[in-house]
Amino acid sequence: MHRVKLFIPGPTEVREEILEALHRPMIGHRSPEFSDLMDRVLHKLRRALRTDFRIQIHTSSGSGLMEAAIRNFVEKDVLVTVIGAFGERWARIAESNGKNTDVLAVEWGEAITPEQLQDAVKKKHYEAVCITHNETSTGVMNPLKELADAVKDVSPDTLILVDAVSSMFGAPLYFGDWQLDFVLTGSQKALALPPGLAIGVISENAFEKALTVKNRGYYFDLVEMQKYVDERRQTPTTPGISLFYALDAQLDRILEEGMEARWERHRQMAEVAREWARKYFDLFADPDHLSWTVTTVANTRGISVAELNAELHKRGFTISDGYGKLKGKTFRIGHMGDLTPAEVQELLLNIESILGLE
Ligand SMILES: *Cc1c(COP(=O)(O)O)cnc(C)c1O
C-alpha cells in the first residue's frame, strides 16, 4: 500500500507501535483483565491531564460527547457560541434534542470576545454555554479561559461545556483553573490514535447538575457510565477494547514526552506553518487567535488545492482543502498528534517545489 502521511486535521498519523497494540487478543469486557486495563488507562489519563475531575472514556466519535453534553447538562436553555462549522454542529445538536438554543455567532476566521459573551449571558440566564476551544474549520483558537471567566463573573452556575476535540493533548488546557465544567475530545486528533474513542472530563458541579436532568438518554447517560466506572471499572455497553489497548500504549508515550513538551512541540509546528503561510500566501484566521494544531492558509494565489493534493499524494503527503464554504478559498495544514516541526518543514518544502514557489 502507498503510504501517505496525514497533515490533515484528523484523523492524524498513528505510530506503528500504537497500531500494533490494536492486535492484542480480545478479552471480555466484564473480565478482571478489562477492569485492570480501564483502571490503568484512567490513572494515566489523570496524570497526563492533571485534573481531579471525573474522566470518562466512551466508544464513539467526538460528536457523540457533544450530544452527551447537551443531554446531560441542559434541561432547557443553552447558549451555543459559533465561530465555524463545529460550533454550527453543536447548535444543531442542541436544537435537534429539543433544547431552547440561542446562538452567538461571529464571522468565520474570528474568535468570540469575552465582552460579546458576557453581554449575552447578562441578557438571559443559561444553564450552559457551549464553546469550541479550537475551531478546526477556520483554524481559530478561542481565548477559552477569558471566555469562561466572562461567563462565571456574571453567572457562576452556568456550566461551561467545551469542545476540545482538536486541542486537548495539543494545546494548553486547564480544567479546574479555567473554571470549565465539561471538556470533550476524540481519539483521532491531537491524541494521535485511530478514531473511535471519546474522552470527557466532568467537573463536580456539572456532575451534580446531570443528576437532576431528565431524559439523559441511554447510550450517553454520563451518570450511568460513572456508576459503572466507579463500581466496577467497566462500561455499561461493550467498549472498543482494541482502542483501549492503543490508548494505554499511547498514554505511556505521552507521559514520557511530558504534556508541556507536547504542547510546546505543537506550538513550534504551528509557528513553522504560520511563517510559511505568511511568506507565500496569507493566514485566514485572526492573527491574535491562531490555532496550535491546524493552520488555515488563505489561498491568495488562487492555486488548485485538488491538484496540489494530487501531486502531494504521489510524494506521500496529504493536506486538507478548506472546510465547507471555505473550500478552494483556503487550505488547511494539520499539525497535531505525534508529528514534528521537521516533518511539517518537509511537507512545506514539497509544496514549494510542486508550486514552484520562490
Ligand atoms: C473533528 C472535530 C469534531 C468532530 O469529531 P468527530 O470525532 O468527527 O465526531 C468536533 N469538533 C471539532 C473542533 C473537531 O475538530
Side-chain angles (χ1 to χ4, degrees):
M1 206 180 113
H2 177 51
R3 188 91 169 70
V4 176
K5 202 181 271 186
L6 304 177
F7 289 87
I8 61 177
T12 50
E13 281 294 300
V14 182
R15 284 170 171 265
E16 208 56 49
E17 72 219 66
I18 303 301
L19 290 172
E20 276 162 21
L22 295 166
H23 292 171
R24 287 183 201 147
M26 208 34 58
I27 53 176
H29 65 297
R30 302 290 177 226
S31 68
E33 288 77 14
F34 180 78
S35 295
D36 285 350
L37 175 60
M38 171 72 101
D39 194 61
R40 202 158 64 233
V41 164
L42 285 176
H43 193 74
K44 290 176 191 174
L45 269 176
R46 192 169 298 294
R47 277 178 60 208
L49 297 175
R50 284 171 305 188
T51 178
D52 54 5
F53 284 6
R54 289 176 176 83
I55 300 175
Q56 296 187 350
I57 307 161
H58 292 258
T59 297
S60 83
S61 85
S63 304
L65 282 189
M66 292 167 79
E67 183 149 278
I70 298 297
R71 294 294 292 242
N72 284 264
F73 304 123
V74 180
E75 190 75 58
K76 249 174 70 201
D77 295 312
V78 62
L79 175 67
V80 182
T81 62
V82 175
I83 66 166
F86 290 105
E88 284 179 357
R89 179 181 297 184
W90 220 351
R92 208 152 58 232
I93 289 170
E95 280 160 11
S96 64
N97 277 288
K99 310 298 176 185
N100 297 333
T101 308
D102 287 345
V103 168
L104 173 62
V106 295
E107 288 276 311
W108 284 33
E110 290 173 15
I112 297 276
T113 69
E115 294 74 30
Q116 287 169 322
L117 186 52
Q118 196 163 62
D119 283 348
V121 293
K122 270 180 186 163
K123 284 195 198 109
K124 178 171 166 184
H125 179 263
Y126 295 99
E127 296 163 76
V129 171
C130 296
I131 303 171
T132 314
H133 185 200
N134 185 77
E135 180 49 78
T136 319
S137 61
T138 60
V140 171
M141 195 152 79
N142 261 320
L144 184 53
K145 178 188 184 297
E146 287 74 16
L147 293 177
D149 284 348
V151 173
K152 297 281 186 182
D153 281 353
V154 174
S155 182
D157 69 329
T158 298
L159 298 178
I160 308 293
L161 313 181
V162 181
D163 168 353
V165 174
S166 60
S167 58
M168 202 189 289
F169 298 99
L173 194 52
Y174 297 95
F175 304 90
D177 289 353
W178 288 5
Q179 307 190 75
L180 312 179
D181 290 293
F182 181 64
V183 188
L184 66 103
T185 195
S187 51
Q188 80 279 19
K189 305 263 168 114
L191 189 49
L193 290 174
L197 290 184
I199 295 169
V201 181
I202 311 169
S203 77
E204 187 60 36
N205 283 344
F207 193 76
E208 273 164 27
K209 163 87 186 195
L211 293 171
T212 72
V213 172
K214 292 186 290 293
N215 299 317
R216 294 188 298 267
Y218 183 85
Y219 191 73
F220 289 114
D221 182 346
L222 303 186
V223 175
E224 190 67 9
M225 170 64 100
Q226 195 62 45
K227 203 154 38 166
Y228 271 75
V229 172
D230 287 346
E231 289 171 9
R232 321 183 215 174
R233 291 287 187 261
Q234 289 181 5
T235 53
T237 60
T238 318
I241 294 168
S242 302
L243 291 164
F244 272 73
Y245 290 142
L247 176 58
D248 190 25
Q250 178 67 341
L251 285 169
D252 285 340
R253 290 199 54 263
I254 290 173
L255 287 168
E256 205 179 321
E257 180 181 23
M259 204 56 143
E260 261 93 15
R262 192 174 182 83
W263 293 339
E264 174 59 18
R265 180 166 52 74
H266 279 81
R267 197 194 60 74
Q268 287 172 10
M269 289 194 289
E271 202 52 57
V272 169
R274 291 170 195 171
E275 208 175 299
W276 181 89
R278 285 197 184 99
K279 182 170 174 194
Y280 293 112
F281 290 88
D282 210 346
L283 290 165
F284 172 75
D286 175 350
D288 291 332
H289 298 288
L290 295 172
S291 166
W292 286 34
T293 57
V294 56
T295 295
T296 303
V297 183
N299 185 7
T300 50
R301 292 173 177 257
I303 61 155
S304 160
V305 178
E307 277 170 32
L308 169 61
N309 233 349
E311 288 304 313
L312 280 171
H313 255 261
K314 290 183 199 160
R315 298 178 181 217
F317 304 93
T318 191
I319 61 171
S320 275
D321 207 325
Y323 193 102
K325 64 185 180 191
L326 295 179
K327 194 167 159 52
K329 296 193 188 116
T330 65
F331 58 91
R332 291 173 301 157
I333 298 167
H335 33 75
M336 60 178 100
D338 291 338
L339 293 170
T340 63
E343 285 176 294
V344 176
Q345 203 80 61
E346 191 194 3
L347 165 80
L348 297 173
L349 284 172
N350 275 276
I351 297 179
E352 285 170 36
S353 123
I354 290 165
L355 296 177
L357 300 176
E358 280 170 38

